Amino acid sequence: MLKILTVCGLGQGTSLILKMNVEQVLGDMGIQADVEHTDVSAASSMDADYIITSNELAESLQGHKAKVVIVNNYFDMDEINEALKDNIEAS
């Protein structure tokens, strides 16, 4: 199963909202994944297939083996949908 991290600065509110929205989009795509929300410093040492975060935080995650997917508006379902469709393949 895919492992996906949703990441914000503190790992609290916005990453949780992004996690719920990502789970909804993945469900619509028929993709099962283990989605976890966390902060940027914890994410750098966690194992994952994909990391979904903002453009600003993506720079801190360069060098991570996970593919980093950029979503700048964590509330915009269209942007999340497009980002996931462009970057995540069903396994």
Side-chain angles (χ1 to χ4, degrees):
M1 185 179 292
L2 289 177
K3 173 77 174 173
I4 299 174
L5 300 177
T6 58
V7 176
C8 70
L10 299 173
Q12 300 295 318
T14 47
S15 62
L16 177 58
I17 289 162
L18 181 59
K19 172 188 188 286
M20 294 186 303
N21 290 341
V22 164
E23 286 174 329
Q24 184 178 334
V25 169
L26 290 172
D28 293 346
M29 293 168 66
I31 296 175
Q32 285 193 324
D34 176 19
V35 183
E36 198 174 323
H37 68 102
T38 189
D39 65 278
V40 70
S41 59
S44 59
S45 62
M46 294 172 75
D47 194 38
D49 298 301
Y50 296 93
I51 295 175
I52 303 171
T53 193
S54 67
N55 201 31
E56 302 84 61
L57 296 177
E59 293 175 20
S60 322
L61 294 163
Q62 285 179 340
H64 196 289
K65 72 178 182 78
K67 179 170 185 175
V68 177
V69 177
I70 306 293
V71 172
N72 289 305
N73 183 342
Y74 292 4
F75 299 91
D76 184 342
M77 293 303 285
D78 290 332
E79 182 184 356
I80 294 167
N81 199 10
E82 200 170 303
L84 296 184
K85 283 196 166 126
D86 289 348
N87 291 286
I88 298 180
E89 296 90 38
S91 50

